[in-house]
Amino acid sequence: MTHDPTTSACGEPGRLAGSATAAPQPPGRIGGQIDYDKFLDCVHCGLCTAACPTYLETGDENNGPRGRIYLMRSVVDGRLELTPRVNAHLDLCLDCRSCETACPSGVEYGRLIEPFRASQRRAEAARQSARNADWFHRYILYCLFPYAQRLRWALAPARLMQQLRLDRLLETLGVIKILPRRLQRMQSFLPRLLPGGPPLPEFLPALGPKRARVALFTGCVADALFRHAHWATARVLQQNGCDVVVPRTQVCCGAIHYHSGADHPALALARANAAAFDAAGVDAVVVNVAGCGSMLKDYGQIARELEPAQAALLAELGGLADKVRDVSQFLAELGLIAPRGELKLRAVYQDACHLVHAQRVREQPRDLLAQIPGLELLSIAEPEICCGAAGSYNLTEPEMSDRLARRKLANLLAADPQVIVTGNVGCSMQIQSALRQARRAIPVVHPMELLDLSYRGVAFSRG
Amino acid sequence: MTTTDHDVSRSAAGVGAAFLTRLESIFGEHGLIRQPEELLVYECDGYVIEKNVPDVVVFPESTEQVVKVVNLCAEFQVPFVPRGAGTSLAGGCLPVGGGVMISLTRMKRILEVNLRDRYAVVEPGVVNLHLTQHLKGTGYHYAPDPSSQGACTIGGNFATNSGGPHTLKYGVTVNHVLGAEVVLPDGSVVQLGGAVEDTPGYDLTGLFVGSEGTFGVCTRVTVRLTRDPAACRTLLAVFNSVREATQSISQIIGAGIVPAALEMMDQGIIEAVEAAFHFGFPLDAAAVLLIEVDGLEVAVDDEARQIIAICQAGGAREVRQANSPRERQLLWKCRKQAFGAIGRLSPSYCTQDGVVPRTKLPEIQEFITAVGQRHAIRIVNVFHAGDGNIHPILLFDERDSDQVRRVLEASEEILLKCIELGGSVTGEHGIGVEKISLMHRLFDAHDLDVMRSVRQAFNPGGLCSPMKMLPTAGACGMEHVMQKRPGRRAAL
């Protein structure tokens, strides 16, 4: 990592929470910085309720979108104290934004819950009861996850253990239980670590007539765990006549920080990315991870929320946001060069919430996969309901996360697929973990991996 | 949302420590809500003009638990009100006078699907659309399709006798409920009807459907399943005047065609749904008709041709046909989510629900326009035009009390005009609390007395859904609420 814009914040891990709390506390109430009109967009019709995974599970309107908006608005209005019970209902929200797809009024729920949470976390930190000052946030979420290289090193022992099958042995012996609870969960979520290959070069040329020049966003956790998917994505883009640049100065998208209220470190990461990708001079910034793509597309909104007075910052971050495309969205717009290689597979495409809801990318990946000769796309019940991964939710709300994973797994297995396809790292890990627990060996892959195999004429084999 | 009128919202007298302790022993920690900060979201439903916080919310998971809570309420003389998804647009789930709210959202199992005999048995909390999704691939569906079908429950549909676009051909909820299990306010469990047609004795099923929860709590419903049509054609006819559109509706029905659905949207609503869903509606059109015919493959093309000819003769400038299932789905999404899309036009809206004889549609439409102008309130319209069910939507800002007053006055004038034209004040949303003061305009004292005595037979103590549907106070000492005219509280 040659250049790290957040070194000042994260070079000394202990200071990170401090840097988050150092942000000036906005005057007034929690959530007071939210544009109040966004609350008024909600006309209380309730059409969102059944789209919400936590409402489906609990039947309690406090755990549904309409109820949560009501709670947040009541806090902002001063009708309601932000008690631990109210907090619990808001914390239980996955931020999957399924309600936004269901909402006919165009309520931007994400632009309510996310800034509300950010101001909650700031207030908590100011009261010294900060959740984000604990070891987990300080060392793992902020100082390990966002750095692909550090994460790869940290995972080296796990990779070795997996190769030697020691991980299963330790699980069977129960030795894992000596780890802190969250580390145990992280261990259980770790997918089978595939050899990811070397880092992507800074430039990969188009094959055939050149149709576009794109930059590829590689991210942090994704680059550490799913680099093979990055290689596949780059090859598919090359096959479709794209010059692919992979800027070395790009960094984590900042979603982990932003969602836990550390918004100034998040802003620093965003600016570093804006600088990295603007320099590339590309037609589009292509992302193959739903969560990162959604965060990058929100950069302009976030700048407006956090620094409303800074027009230059808005232009800088909004400019990048406008260029961001999910890879399937980009290829659908460009027009896919049909792959030839046959893959005789019964496949389920599982929607990542941050694609289908946050980015409204639903048909594109299905349309691309449908062009692979021999591939049969199966449909499942409740395709729009979150699998419970939701970023770090599977670590912070384990019980609900597990309930939703079981629900999703039942729906997936009912279709009897040979392969599960999903465009997000988090979903992939969650489903792989659920499959392992159910002792079902169904591979989970990225859509680009299948397209890549078809272009290369290579048969599908698990692993 | 309008500030609650605090001297009216109050708790039920019987809710004390002893009552709550007994309730907790039935429902446990996770089956009950009693903290003020968690009760708040239950203070209103889709109708936000009136609010009242219940004293406690319970989440039964079985008929037995419903019986227990109802018995306990009888013992302590505490009022109770059932609630499904809380999408009522008439305040049907408003806990007038406080008491216990019985949320049926955890009773959501589909208990039986019998395709050969074409029925399904479901619990009340099953979401309408979830039943149809569950039936996907079987060749059957559940026909009533209210616009809120993605969220509303079968129990709520049962209580309000819900309609929907396709009820023009297929009939409303009462035509699709074969039987039900209900818990009466005295705690007895009664089976109404059954899985076969026309059980002897009084048609109690028909009586309970649409009773708005004033007879008891429905805990199980046996619904009819409808065969999926072999084919359908979905048309969009574009008109330059609303009058031409409404006249074409009468022409279509007059020609002996019964479309599966026949819906009208006017310019204002087209603007909102276009912003929401980008279908490609012409923004300069005065009105569009959304027409669907279904049936046998050989018949639908012929009917579609007739309809196109009628619309063109009636002045339609263009008639389009949905070319793919995806396009048809999007068209229906536009129509069904039209109410919600209004959020894009104004901060608040009031969806009215009236009925006129179909031939009076042009007349009521012109009246609505005039009322809007007189009160300086913008009104947009969606109609279930085929059966004369109108939905004028009045746009306002709830923070402006003068606008709220004007909206309520305009609403009342429109509904009274519906009565005058030979229609009614609600097609499908129900009376709830919203229209309670209009009941005596629609019915005379004798009519209302008969209804009261029917309610008396099932709900003699008046504890079940007090202050709903019929303008009587019930027996809970809530006469003060009556004096305040709950349906018009915001205007006072």
Side-chain angles (χ1 to χ4, degrees), chain A residues 36-37 39-51 55-63 66-68 70-71 73-75 77 79-81 83-86 88-89 100-107 360 363 366-367 379-384 407, chain B residues 1 4 33 35-48 51 53 59 83-89 103 105-106 108 127 130 133 136 147-152 276-277 326 333 336-344 346-349 397-399:
Chain A
Y36 197 78
D37 281 346
F39 283 117
L40 294 182
D41 287 340
C42 173
V43 292
H44 216 256
C45 66
L47 295 194
C48 53
T49 50
Y55 174 80
L56 284 178
E57 283 291 320
T58 64
D60 179 352
E61 292 193 32
N62 286 289
N63 294 332
R66 176 173 73 173
R68 289 191 178 112
Y70 213 69
L71 291 176
R73 185 177 165 186
S74 300
V75 170
D77 285 347
R79 280 183 79 195
L80 199 63
E81 285 296 318
T83 64
R85 283 172 189 272
V86 175
H89 293 301
E100 290 189 20
T101 301
C103 177
S105 288
V107 172
R360 303 292 160 95
E363 302 303 334
R366 291 180 168 83
D367 291 346
S379 55
I380 60 164
E382 301 187 337
E384 71 290 347
R407 188 179 182 118
Chain B
M1 281 154 227
T4 313
I33 288 177
Q35 301 299 326
E37 70 262 45
E38 292 178 299
L39 291 170
L40 192 67
V41 301
Y42 288 99
E43 70 176 357
C44 60
D45 48 30
Y47 176 70
V48 297
K51 291 166 188 159
V53 183
F59 297 91
R83 178 175 174 118
T87 53
S88 167
L89 292 164
S103 170
T105 50
R106 289 187 191 166
K108 56 172 182 181
V127 170
H130 290 182
Q133 282 169 347
K136 204 173 165 186
S147 298
S148 55
Q149 72 180 137
C152 66
F277 305 113
R326 214 183 264 189
K333 188 175 177 185
K336 289 194 174 177
Q337 303 209 346
F339 293 155
I342 296 296
R344 293 167 194 269
S346 77
S348 321
Y349 68 86
D397 187 332
E398 65 191 352
R399 293 165 295 181

Side-chain angles (χ1 to χ4, degrees), chain A residues 3 44 91 155 169 193 210 214 261 301 349 363 394 400 443:
Chain A
H3 168 71
H44 216 256
D91 281 350
L155 288 173
L169 179 68
L193 295 166
K210 183 177 155 183
V214 302
Q301 293 266 25
Y349 174 75
E363 302 303 334
N394 55 11
M400 181 57 76

Side-chain angles (χ1 to χ4, degrees), chain B residues 110-309:
Chain B
I110 295 172
L111 299 168
E112 186 189 349
V113 172
N114 186 326
L115 294 177
R116 289 173 69 93
D117 291 326
R118 297 193 183 184
Y119 71 84
V121 183
V122 303
E123 290 186 324
V126 170
V127 170
N128 174 304
L129 190 63
H130 290 182
L131 177 57
T132 288
Q133 282 169 347
H134 184 80
L135 294 165
K136 204 173 165 186
T138 64
Y140 291 87
H141 69 287
Y142 178 59
D145 60 339
S147 298
S148 55
Q149 72 180 137
C152 66
T153 63
I154 302 271
N157 297 167
F158 175 92
T160 55
N161 193 14
S162 301
H166 288 82
T167 52
L168 174 60
K169 178 171 177 178
Y170 292 98
V172 293
T173 299
V174 73
N175 305 112
H176 297 271
V177 173
L178 295 167
E181 173 190 87
V182 293
V183 177
L184 297 184
D186 66 1
S188 52
V189 180
V190 181
Q191 306 295 332
L192 313 173
V196 295
E197 305 278 344
D198 297 330
T199 46
Y202 295 118
D203 178 15
L204 295 182
T205 313
L207 192 62
F208 268 70
V209 174
S211 61
E212 300 195 22
T214 58
F215 293 166
V217 183
C218 155
T219 48
R220 193 173 280 203
V221 194
T222 303
V223 297
R224 184 194 306 281
L225 301 180
T226 304
R227 189 116 182 96
D228 295 346
C232 70
R233 297 288 179 273
T234 309
L235 306 168
L236 182 75
V238 182
F239 291 86
N240 285 329
S241 83
V242 176
R243 178 168 273 275
E244 284 171 343
T246 47
Q247 281 170 345
S248 296
I249 293 162
S250 291
Q251 292 291 329
I252 292 167
I253 306 284
I257 302 169
V258 183
L262 209 179
E263 304 282 307
M264 195 198 87
M265 297 192 276
D266 78 358
Q267 189 168 24
I269 206 85
I270 293 169
E271 184 194 320
V273 295
E274 185 58 26
F277 305 113
H278 315 291
F279 177 81
F281 287 108
L283 291 174
D284 60 332
V288 297
L289 294 183
L290 177 55
I291 310 158
E292 188 160 282
V293 287
D294 67 13
L296 297 173
E297 188 69 50
V298 286
V300 290
D301 274 327
D302 187 46
E303 284 189 341
R305 263 194 302 276
Q306 284 187 58
I307 290 169
I308 292 169

Side-chain angles (χ1 to χ4, degrees), chain A residues 361-436:
Chain A
V361 174
R362 183 188 155 76
E363 302 303 334
Q364 296 92 324
R366 291 180 168 83
D367 291 346
L368 298 181
L369 289 168
Q371 294 186 49
I372 297 176
L375 190 101
E376 184 191 353
L377 266 186
L378 313 165
S379 55
I380 60 164
E382 301 187 337
E384 71 290 347
I385 298 300
C386 179
C387 66
S392 54
Y393 188 91
N394 55 11
L395 301 173
T396 55
E397 297 285 344
E399 192 213 327
M400 181 57 76
S401 176
D402 286 349
R403 281 167 75 172
L404 292 170
R406 284 194 295 273
R407 188 179 182 118
K408 178 59 77 184
L409 191 68
N411 285 328
L412 287 168
L413 293 179
D416 191 24
Q418 292 169 301
V419 61
I420 296 166
V421 192
T422 189
N424 195 39
V425 181
C427 313
S428 178
M429 285 169 66
Q430 175 91 341
I431 289 162
Q432 289 187 53
S433 162
L435 284 165
R436 264 200 312 279

Side-chain angles (χ1 to χ4, degrees), chain B residues 361-397:
Chain B
L361 280 173
E363 200 171 328
I364 192 73
Q365 169 63 33
E366 274 153 30
F367 182 81
I368 290 167
T369 309
V371 166
Q373 281 163 357
R374 195 161 60 245
H375 291 278
I377 290 290
R378 185 171 176 206
I379 305 179
V380 297
N381 293 284
V382 266
F383 294 173
H384 295 308
D387 40 21
N389 186 186
I390 61 162
H391 290 306
I393 304 169
L394 297 85
L395 311 183
F396 65 106
D397 187 332

